Amino acid sequence: MTSVTNDLVVADVQGGPSRSLWARHENMLLGLLAVAAFMLFWEFSVVFGWVNPLFTSSPTRIVAAGAAMVRDGSIWNDLAVSGLEFALGYGLAVIVGVPLGILMGWYRRFNALLEPFVNALYATPRIALMPLIIIWFGVDLSSKIAIIFLSTVFPILVNTMTGVRTIDRDFIKVARSFGASDGQLFTTVALPSSVPNLLTGLRLGLGHALIGIVVGEMYGASAGIGYMMQTAGATFQTDRVMVGILIIAAAGMALTQVLRIIENRFEGWRVDHRG
Amino acid sequence: MKLCARGVRIDFWNERIKRNLRVLDCIDLDVREGELLAIVGPSGCGKSTFLGAVDGLVKTGAGDIRVDGVSVDKPGADRAMVFQQDSLFPWRTVMRNISYGLELQGRMARAEIRDRAASLVELVGLKGFGEHYPHELSGGMRQRVNIARALATDPKLLLLDEPFAALDAQTREFMQVELMKILARAKKTALFITHQIDEAVFLADRVAVFSARPARIKAIVDVDLPGQRTLESKLQPRFRDLQERIWRLIEEEAERTGLMTSTVGA
Ligand SMILES: Nc1ncnc2c1ncn2[C@@H]1O[C@H](COP(=O)(O)OP(=O)(O)OP(=O)(O)O)[C@@H](O)[C@H]1O
Ligand SMILES: [Mg+2]
């Protein structure tokens, strides 16, 4: 038995109300400890002059830069702009991607018609489309929505489609045996069995949406987190760039976590979780 | 007669040999009202296919299947199938799995469906598990739900395709007794496929032995065991005789097609 499994066994045996704070949250506390150690090291590297803060920034500088941005109020506008772009782009991708994925998964002919386009666009790095998007939509809100939409819609569509298409044949037999019509087969078997895949698609789409925000705003914008990072970077304001990175990372982690929790709730729906 | 099958023939296109494979060849079979008829036969001979045809899921090439005198051509509410694999919907609770057939029919009110599902949960001995999901149940419990789901639409003919094949020996014996009770309470006619000869003899009024593919009815054995059947019945000499006889019939088939060369006792 390796030491890892040993630890797990021990942690299990120790379970119960009497466990100490440390024992209950050991993994999280270890993680926090590592992050804290890294921050200290980073800070002192600057203090002792081992690295140039112009390039590396430092935790206290990032906090100071963030506080200044909150004080002058600029951060709120950037957050609001990026948030709106995300909500509209991602929302549109869900509204379009889920129904299209369902239809493509269900109707063979519909799939045959759209598959070449989906495959081609899914395989193309969406950033490559950015110049076209700027030509078509300009540099205002609509071009950001477009790039976020294009980044997000394919992972959502493809996963939903896979979910609908990979229905267990046994379930189809059961439904038919109970006299299900095509419509009933769709609503009582195809839709529910595709939910876990659909949620996975939504989660994967999130990451793509965040990339879309940053790339879209760097290409040409007048506000937003990505725009702020772009202008700060161009003027060597490393501290402000770091603030932007932290915001994007935090948003990504938080949103992914929310979807992961929802996904876990539907874990039992996965067909391979039978017996 | 509950079920009347005459000259049923089914061919399947086989992709590998690029021609039709005859699976059922002129099956004649009658099932009497209220009886439990077991089907046994070599693996792959076409038992599931026949049951599928009775359910209306598989089209027949020739012949006629009648349930209560009405020709079968598609699934209907007068028949219900308990499938070989436990195929409960993982996204539905026990209650809602059981009410599935009734929901599809859309003839009953919601409250009525709930009441019926609840009484079936009790009938199969799962009281208190109505709101559980299939993945929270043991194999034996899932098969009970599977049976309850088939009983829910109140079919006149119950079709069971090796319902206990995936269970361990102990649970299987227990479920055999349970199924006997459930069927007696629900007063159903049933067609039952199994690989376990003792299961067939224990549960059935008659046992139909299918020949190797293309399947015909090789023999029909009357299970004339005296008195109430309990697990102890399996120890009676008469029970063993019947088991032996059916085993020999299947063995002959297996040997004829070269599936088996050695001789193994029952
Ligand atoms: N949909 C199908 N298409 C083509 N061939 C099929 C199909 N279903 C069954 N078969 C073939 O028909 C034959 C009989 O299959 P069936 O499942 O009825 O056998 P079985 O007696 O139930 O076997 P087992 O005891 O192993 O369950 C097999 O050779 C199988 O390969
Ligand atoms: Mg079978």
Side-chain angles (χ1 to χ4, degrees):
Chain A
M1 197 183 261
T2 68
S3 65
V4 176
T5 46
N6 243 329
D7 281 353
L8 288 176
V9 170
V10 172
D12 239 18
V13 170
Q14 285 174 344
S18 63
R19 288 200 302 167
S20 69
L21 190 72
W22 176 263
R24 264 182 290 136
H25 300 290
E26 182 169 350
N27 283 348
M28 202 180 77
L29 291 173
L30 279 176
L32 281 177
L33 210 65
V35 172
F38 175 72
M39 294 288 179
L40 277 177
F41 174 74
W42 189 0
E43 189 67 38
F44 280 105
S45 307
V46 172
V47 168
F48 294 137
W50 299 336
V51 293
N52 183 352
L54 190 60
F55 293 109
T56 63
S57 184
S58 76
T60 51
R61 276 159 222 257
I62 295 171
V63 171
M69 288 158 78
V70 169
R71 239 178 291 119
D72 68 19
S74 63
I75 189 99
W76 303 124
N77 185 43
D78 288 331
L79 274 176
V81 167
S82 293
L84 182 68
E85 290 165 1
F86 170 79
L88 291 176
Y90 187 78
L92 203 61
V94 174
I95 292 171
V96 173
V98 171
L100 270 188
I102 288 172
L103 289 175
M104 286 180 69
W106 193 244
Y107 293 106
R108 191 179 48 79
R109 291 211 174 86
F110 192 72
N111 178 58
L113 285 174
L114 290 192
E115 199 175 22
F117 298 98
V118 170
N119 282 351
L121 280 167
Y122 195 33
T124 312
R126 263 48 58 83
I127 299 171
L129 302 174
M130 206 52 214
L132 264 187
I133 290 174
I134 300 283
I135 294 174
W136 290 341
F137 295 95
V139 292
D140 57 2
L141 184 66
S142 51
S143 63
K144 313 309 175 289
I145 296 173
I147 186 70
I148 295 169
F149 169 79
L150 281 175
S151 307
T152 315
V153 72
F154 294 107
I156 294 177
L157 188 157
V158 170
N159 275 282
T160 307
M161 181 175 74
T162 311
V164 174
R165 200 178 288 165
T166 53
I167 317 172
D168 198 315
R169 294 193 58 80
D170 289 344
F171 291 144
I172 299 180
K173 266 204 279 180
V174 172
R176 289 292 189 211
S177 171
F178 279 109
S181 62
D182 284 358
Q184 286 175 323
L185 186 65
F186 179 70
T187 51
T188 63
V189 178
L191 276 191
S193 67
S194 66
V195 164
N197 273 299
L198 190 155
L199 288 171
T200 305
L202 292 185
R203 178 165 55 80
L204 295 178
L206 274 179
H208 291 262
L210 292 175
I211 297 172
I213 292 180
V214 176
V215 170
E217 289 181 355
M218 283 182 171
Y219 238 88
S222 50
I225 300 295
Y227 167 76
M228 180 275 283
M229 288 163 71
Q230 166 73 11
T231 48
T235 52
F236 261 91
Q237 294 176 279
T238 315
D239 310 338
R240 286 166 67 92
V241 174
M242 290 287 186
V243 172
I245 292 174
L246 280 181
I247 290 173
I248 296 284
M253 280 163 64
L255 291 170
T256 304
Q257 192 56 31
V258 169
L259 268 169
R260 225 184 256 288
I261 290 167
I262 300 175
E263 238 180 309
N264 284 341
R265 289 197 43 149
F266 287 93
E267 221 13 63
W269 286 31
R270 275 194 204 276
V271 172
D272 39 324
H273 269 240
R274 288 188 298 160
Chain B
M1 281 305 154
K2 195 77 203 169
L3 172 79
C4 224
R6 286 288 171 273
V8 174
R9 192 174 75 209
I10 292 176
D11 298 328
F12 276 128
W13 176 256
N14 187 304
E15 194 50 49
R16 202 168 43 80
I17 56 171
K18 300 281 181 214
R19 62 187 168 86
N20 271 333
L21 197 70
R22 180 141 303 174
V23 176
L24 297 183
D25 184 20
C26 199
I27 298 278
D28 294 325
L29 188 66
D30 290 329
V31 181
R32 299 170 192 146
E33 185 79 45
E35 124 176 288
L36 197 157
L37 187 128
I39 297 175
V40 298
S43 185
C45 72
K47 304 181 292 294
S48 297
T49 304
F50 178 68
L51 215 64
V54 174
D55 195 35
L57 289 172
V58 179
K59 294 264 169 288
T60 52
D64 188 29
I65 298 175
R66 285 171 186 272
V67 176
D68 284 325
V70 182
S71 241
V72 166
D73 65 339
K74 60 177 192 319
D78 53 346
R79 287 148 285 146
M81 178 91 103
V82 177
F83 287 91
Q84 195 163 350
Q85 302 82 4
D86 106 67
S87 47
L88 299 177
F89 299 120
W91 51 84
R92 282 175 171 249
T93 61
V94 167
M95 281 283 283
R96 298 217 45 229
N97 261 292
I98 294 175
S99 48
Y100 182 69
L102 295 171
E103 284 176 30
L104 287 189
Q105 291 178 351
R107 271 189 239 122
M108 278 189 196
R110 251 174 207 292
E112 217 179 328
I113 292 179
R114 270 201 75 82
D115 288 348
R116 170 131 187 88
S119 70
L120 277 160
V121 169
E122 243 174 272
L123 180 81
V124 297
L126 285 177
K127 205 164 184 231
F129 289 94
E131 297 309 317
H132 282 59
Y133 283 89
H135 67 99
E136 300 168 321
L137 305 179
S138 71
M141 291 161 100
R142 278 200 296 271
Q143 268 323 344
R144 287 161 189 263
V145 182
N146 211 352
I147 292 167
R149 180 171 67 177
L151 287 172
T153 49
D154 200 19
K156 298 179 208 151
L157 180 60
L158 198 61
L159 310 168
L160 303 107
D161 191 353
E162 301 189 43
F164 307 143
L167 304 180
D168 62 88
Q170 222 171 341
T171 313
R172 192 187 305 137
E173 295 227 310
F174 181 66
M175 287 299 294
Q176 289 166 4
V177 177
E178 284 297 298
L179 178 71
M180 199 152 71
K181 286 190 206 155
I182 292 168
L183 288 181
R185 258 177 281 167
K187 298 196 179 56
K188 297 290 178 203
T189 311
L191 206 54
F192 186 102
I193 297 178
T194 180
H195 268 127
Q196 307 292 128
I197 297 166
D198 71 314
E199 187 167 284
V201 176
F202 178 63
L203 285 169
D205 299 300
R206 292 187 301 152
V207 178
V209 182
F210 274 37
S211 72
R213 199 184 61 219
R216 293 162 158 271
I217 305 281
K218 183 179 172 69
I220 293 189
V221 178
D222 268 302
V223 183
D224 44 359
L225 288 174
Q228 182 84 30
R229 286 186 210 174
T230 60
L231 284 177
E232 279 80 59
S233 311
K234 294 192 181 182
L235 304 172
Q236 290 174 12
R238 177 83 196 120
F239 191 99
R240 293 182 167 246
D241 284 350
L242 284 164
Q243 221 176 323
E244 191 97 357
R245 223 171 97 203
I246 294 166
W247 174 259
R248 293 225 182 288
L249 289 164
I250 299 176
E251 197 186 30
E252 268 173 36
E253 281 309 302
E255 268 172 6
R256 196 169 61 79
T257 53
L259 277 174
M260 200 191 309
T261 43
S262 65
T263 312
V264 188

